[in-house]
Amino acid sequence: MYEWGMNDADDVIATLGIERNLHGCAVAILAMNCVFGIESRIIKEDKNEVIIHATECLWKNKRNWTPEVCASVERYDVGLVKGIDKKIDYCCTKRRSKGDSVCEVILRKT
């Protein structure tokens, strides 16, 4: 999944018309979340960090959907971010699949 995200990065940049920066990474995550049936939004953004919350997920209540499966699919997003800007770190701090009310992703400049 990581490689898939890395390989998609240039096409996502071109399709969305985004820049290779922190905000561009956040927009790419939001767009791909839509494709994958995940409702998400930016809840905080400054020059060094973006926090994204996913509140609805097509997959959450599917049979055999576990935190481990969720994390493996999340590798796509990690690859996408690194393919857009290697200086951005991706960290998931909350998961709905673990009982949290939202999935929370933090993107940070390194």
Side-chain angles (χ1 to χ4, degrees):
M1 295 296 284
Y2 180 87
E3 291 299 320
W4 184 19
M6 286 282 291
N7 292 335
D8 281 355
D10 289 338
D11 288 338
V12 170
I13 289 167
T15 300
L16 298 176
I18 59 175
E19 295 182 29
R20 290 183 180 271
N21 59 22
L22 178 62
H23 182 74
C25 289
V27 170
I29 294 294
L30 294 177
M32 294 315 295
N33 280 352
C34 286
V35 170
F36 292 127
I38 301 166
E39 290 182 27
S40 60
R41 64 186 171 91
I42 295 172
I43 64 155
K44 179 185 175 223
E45 182 172 10
D46 61 38
K47 65 180 186 164
N48 295 310
E49 179 180 83
V50 174
I51 299 175
I52 298 170
H53 278 183
T55 56
E56 295 294 326
C57 177
L58 172 69
W59 309 102
K60 181 174 182 312
N61 294 317
K62 300 290 184 196
R63 194 171 104 182
N64 297 323
W65 189 256
T66 66
E68 294 79 18
V69 173
C70 181
S72 71
V73 173
E74 175 188 53
R75 296 298 296 159
Y76 176 88
D77 288 349
V78 176
L80 182 63
V81 166
K82 288 299 179 184
I84 294 171
D85 187 339
K86 291 186 182 358
K87 295 178 184 173
I88 304 299
D89 283 336
Y90 178 109
C91 178
C92 183
T93 58
K94 297 177 185 176
R95 291 184 192 280
R96 294 181 73 230
S97 60
K98 284 187 161 184
D100 293 314
S101 62
V102 298
C103 291
E104 180 175 83
V105 169
I106 300 175
L107 303 176
R108 281 194 187 106
K109 286 184 180 181
T110 57

